[in-house]
Amino acid sequence: MLKTESLSKVFMAEDMETLALNKVDFTVNEGEFVAIMGPSGCGKSTLLNILGLLDTPTQGNYYFQSENMAGYSENHRARIRKNKIGFIFQNFNLIDELTIFENIELPLVYNGIESRERKVRVQEELDKMGILHRKNHFPIQLSGGQQQRVAIARALITNPQLILADEPTGNLDSAKGEEIMEMLTTLNNGGTTIVMVTHSKRDAEYSSRIVNLFDGKIVSERR
């Protein structure tokens, strides 16, 4: 499903050059659950952003479903993101001014789905996540675990083939974190491909493969 070839990313700041990724060769097969680990600043989030088409490499190639993303316009990349990729963030990234229902509905609005279908699909996701009774609340009225459930529902509402998760339990206590990881495992067992960045060895053990990054390079992998 995903493949990078000699992928490099350089960030420029004034006269300083930082090599965030250094010729990374990385493959994720359809249906895999891959955890990416490594110390802060090793390139984990940079790699995830490139995989999610939120950033572009300085050198190398990135193939998503056998298509080389190099040279695609931002509009084309945005269409792929909207239809095929779901994002889960450590800080939830919910919109405070919108209700829970409206937060989950937003990707469907962007995709031009008509109102009646949006309502049905959002209700179904809310029900699956066990937060249907919270649909008219605002994010600030929910616990961290509930907010992450909303974020997962929003990521899933477009039925993406790929979920990218950046420290999905980072702001949760251990019990709530375990709950979220069980939820991701269930999604993966249903066929959804997941790539997750994490510092947590416990969370990484839920995956089928652990990839370790150091100084922008893959230094080890294990299943």
Side-chain angles (χ1 to χ4, degrees):
M1 176 178 251
L2 309 178
K3 183 180 180 182
T4 72
E5 294 176 339
S6 296
L7 196 76
S8 295
K9 180 67 179 182
V10 176
F11 290 104
M12 299 293 297
E14 296 180 356
D15 295 330
M16 184 179 293
E17 192 175 278
T18 302
L19 183 60
L21 295 173
N22 187 5
K23 296 182 179 178
V24 172
D25 293 316
F26 178 59
T27 301
V28 178
N29 295 318
E30 192 167 340
E32 268 199 293
F33 186 169
V34 179
I36 301 173
M37 299 192 74
S40 295
C42 72
K44 300 187 303 295
S45 292
T46 300
L47 179 57
L48 204 71
N49 286 339
I50 291 174
L51 297 180
L53 302 175
L54 295 170
D55 201 354
T56 56
T58 306
Q59 289 183 323
N61 295 309
Y62 169 41
Y63 297 88
F64 179 74
Q65 294 183 326
S66 300
E67 285 187 80
N68 193 343
M69 298 292 106
Y72 277 178
S73 70
E74 176 52 31
N75 284 342
H76 190 101
R77 291 154 59 84
R79 282 197 296 274
I80 295 173
R81 280 199 306 270
K82 286 192 299 184
N83 291 295
K84 297 185 177 182
I85 304 174
F87 297 88
I88 302 170
F89 301 98
Q90 176 178 351
N91 294 321
F92 319 131
N93 283 17
L94 302 177
I95 299 174
D96 292 338
E97 294 78 17
L98 299 182
T99 65
I100 300 314
F101 186 99
E102 290 166 340
N103 266 280
I104 297 171
E105 180 187 35
L106 201 56
L108 298 180
V109 175
Y110 289 151
N111 281 346
I113 306 299
E114 63 99 19
S115 176
R116 187 178 303 172
E117 183 180 346
R118 293 202 306 265
K119 182 175 181 179
V120 170
R121 286 169 64 171
V122 174
Q123 297 263 117
E124 286 175 352
E125 285 298 335
L126 284 163
D127 194 33
K128 284 181 199 173
M129 295 293 160
I131 48 174
L132 183 58
H133 62 296
R134 294 287 202 173
K135 68 178 183 179
N136 293 321
H137 288 71
F138 291 90
I140 197 172
Q141 297 173 292
L142 272 59
S143 68
Q146 288 172 327
Q147 288 189 58
Q148 195 59 295
R149 283 171 174 261
V150 175
I152 292 172
R154 182 184 58 190
L156 294 177
I157 196 68
T158 57
N159 299 314
Q161 288 105 331
L162 172 68
I163 292 287
L164 299 177
D166 194 353
E167 300 283 1
T169 69
N171 282 332
L172 305 176
D173 62 38
S174 59
K176 293 298 182 186
E178 191 172 332
E179 200 175 278
I180 294 303
M181 291 311 304
E182 293 287 354
M183 199 173 292
L184 292 178
T185 301
T186 300
L187 286 173
N188 178 244
N189 290 340
T192 302
T193 305
I194 300 175
V195 180
M196 173 182 71
V197 159
T198 182
H199 280 104
S200 168
K201 291 181 180 178
R202 184 198 64 183
D203 288 358
E205 292 298 331
Y206 282 89
S207 70
S208 54
R209 178 159 58 106
I210 300 173
V211 175
N212 285 285
L213 279 181
F214 187 77
D215 285 348
K217 293 183 177 181
I218 292 176
V219 294
S220 67
E221 293 189 39
R222 70 177 176 88
R223 293 188 178 275

